[in-house]
Amino acid sequence: MKMFKGKIDVGKAFDTIASGVDKIAFTEEERADFNKGVADAQLEFVKTTVSENSARSITRRYLAIGIVGVFLFLILSSAVAAAFNGDYAAFLFELAKSLTTLVLMVATFFFGGYYANKFVSASKEKKSNQKTSKNENVN
């Protein structure tokens, strides 16, 4: 049984390996472009899904309210239980900690696009102001 059939193009293999290695390490510019792309994609997703009023959207809102509600209930219950039973308060707090990732994901979905857009807009405005002030200093 032959492992390779035909000739091996060493140049093509080297180019493939080199491009793969190059994609492993981000430069700061590539990282900024990637993060901007992620923020733009998330913003577009939020724009198209949060504003809709379909049954799916309403269900998402109820689930989000339920998840955050349970999380807040556990946190507040652990604070109240701390006055009476420290072990039970610790148990409730551990339950709340187990929901932290889920609550952060829900918060990111509903509020992340807004803040990402706000951050990108502020960054663009800052760059615009810097260019304007440089042009005024030159004149």
Side-chain angles (χ1 to χ4, degrees):
M1 182 170 131
K2 286 188 170 183
M3 185 178 270
F4 299 109
K5 295 181 180 178
K7 296 180 182 178
I8 298 174
D9 187 359
V10 177
K12 184 177 179 182
F14 180 76
D15 289 341
T16 303
I17 293 170
S19 69
V21 170
D22 183 43
K23 290 179 183 176
I24 291 175
F26 278 162
T27 64
E28 289 302 316
E29 185 177 323
E30 289 172 334
R31 185 180 315 267
D33 289 342
F34 177 76
N35 289 338
K36 183 182 181 299
V38 168
D40 290 344
Q42 183 182 20
L43 178 64
E44 186 63 31
F45 178 71
V46 169
K47 281 181 181 177
T48 59
T49 57
V50 172
S51 63
E52 69 182 39
N53 283 322
S54 66
R56 183 179 65 197
S57 177
I58 293 168
T59 303
R60 267 196 308 266
R61 289 182 192 143
Y62 281 130
L63 286 172
I65 290 169
I67 289 167
V68 173
V70 168
F71 179 75
L72 292 175
F73 175 77
L74 288 172
I75 294 290
L76 294 174
S77 297
S78 68
V80 170
F84 303 105
N85 187 342
D87 292 335
Y88 188 63
F91 170 73
L92 290 175
F93 191 71
E94 285 298 317
L95 284 176
K97 281 182 12 181
S98 69
L99 291 176
T100 303
T101 303
L102 186 59
V103 171
L104 287 174
M105 288 178 5
V106 166
T108 301
F109 175 77
F110 280 102
F111 304 112
Y114 169 76
Y115 286 110
N117 186 31
K118 193 172 184 180
F119 176 75
V120 170
S121 297
S123 176
K124 287 179 182 178
E125 185 176 317
K126 184 178 177 183
K127 286 180 184 180
S128 174
N129 290 340
Q130 287 175 348
K131 287 180 183 179
T132 304
S133 64
K134 284 181 182 180
N135 290 339
E136 288 174 357
N137 290 338
V138 172
N139 295 331

